[in-house]
Each structure stands twice: as C-alpha cells, then as structure tokens.
Amino acid sequence: MKDINNKGRVNRFKYLLYFYGLFVLFMFVYTFIIAPDLPRLILLAAFAPLFGFMSSFVNWPVYVHATEADGGVVINTQKLFSKKRNSLVVTKYNFDSYFETDHLHIGLNVLDEEENLRKHRIKVSWLRLKDLRALEEKLKEINPYAPVK
C-alpha cells in the first residue's frame, strides 16, 4: 500500500483562505483609503465569498496521513492551523470493529494499552475517493470480519 496523504488538497484550501484574506484587506484599503468617495456597497464584494466558506467551517479540513506499518496501518491526523497531532496504530491485534458515524468519518473501535475498547473517528471527507477506498481496503485486509456495532 502506498502512503495515503491529503496534504495537497488541504493546502490548496489553506492558500485559498490566505488569498481571500488578502482580497478582504485590499477591499478595505481601496474603499477607505484609495477611493473613499465610492459607495460602501462595494464592501459586499469582500464579504460575499464568506458564504461560500460556511460549509467549510462545519467540515473543517484535516490532514490525514496513513502509512503501512508492521501488520497494520498508522493513521496520523492534524486539523488545519493546529499544532496538535493525533496518531492511531491499527493492527490485527487491536482492531475490533467499526461503529456507525456520519458520511464524513470512519468509526473504528480499537483496543488501547489497558485492553479498553476506544472509539476513534477518522475524518475522511477531505480524502480523494481512491485514497478513501485504499484505506478501507487496508482496514478490511487487517480485519476482514470486523462487524459494525
């Protein structure tokens, strides 16, 4: 299995946010400093794209990096503009089952060090479809008989 990584797609969104911030800054400078006699209606052009980003505030981008390890897979996740990273090691010894989630996540029941069953939600909405299928195939390869609880 090749590494699964969605860094390009999330970075594209990050740079789009940077560009939008510069656009809003330019609109304010243009409206209040360069041409103050223009009507304030032009400021709507600066805030109209914000409504397009509303869905992204709910579905905030997450970096997902999945790498094959000894008999399993290591899944690293990190939210955009966050320093906190989460790692999950899924092997045939600790992967118990799936659990029901929404269409944005994969729910995994994994045993921790104390043999307690923990629920982990992996956000896969920012993965490409072929990477999502590769991750699901790897999970099926690890535990082909994992039930949905």
Side-chain angles (χ1 to χ4, degrees):
M1 173 183 110
K2 70 177 188 78
D3 287 357
I4 296 171
N5 195 345
N6 67 342
K7 192 172 187 175
R9 181 176 268 191
V10 175
N11 281 343
R12 192 176 319 136
F13 179 77
K14 178 174 68 172
Y15 295 128
L16 182 68
L17 284 179
Y18 288 156
F19 178 75
Y20 174 66
L22 287 174
F23 175 70
V24 169
L25 183 67
F26 171 75
M27 289 305 289
F28 272 104
V29 167
Y30 184 78
T31 304
F32 292 114
I33 296 173
I34 297 174
D37 55 334
L38 282 177
R40 301 292 178 237
L41 190 63
I42 196 158
L43 285 178
L44 284 178
F47 290 107
L50 186 64
F51 297 107
F53 289 121
M54 287 295 182
S55 64
S56 298
F57 293 137
V58 173
N59 182 20
W60 192 249
V62 174
Y63 292 106
V64 176
H65 185 238
T67 308
E68 193 167 8
D70 295 331
V73 66
V74 177
I75 303 170
N76 297 315
T77 59
Q78 179 182 5
K79 288 186 177 181
L80 183 64
F81 302 122
S82 173
K83 300 287 183 197
K84 183 180 174 189
R85 297 189 72 155
N86 296 324
S87 293
L88 175 64
V89 178
V90 181
T91 64
K92 64 181 177 180
Y93 302 110
N94 69 352
F95 179 37
D96 181 58
S97 60
Y98 297 98
F99 67 91
E100 290 287 331
T101 61
D102 55 358
H103 65 284
L104 302 175
H105 298 85
I106 292 178
L108 302 176
N109 288 322
V110 178
L111 296 172
D112 62 359
E113 295 86 21
E114 291 86 27
E115 299 296 321
N116 296 328
L117 199 60
R118 300 263 182 184
K119 291 186 174 190
H120 295 278
R121 290 171 37 145
I122 301 169
K123 192 170 202 173
V124 293
S125 60
W126 283 85
L127 285 175
R128 292 182 306 198
L129 194 57
K130 69 177 190 173
D131 290 339
L132 175 61
R133 287 186 180 145
L135 180 62
E136 288 175 342
E137 287 297 320
K138 183 60 181 173
L139 291 173
K140 284 181 185 176
E141 181 183 312
I142 292 170
N143 188 354
Y145 304 109
V148 176
K149 292 185 178 179

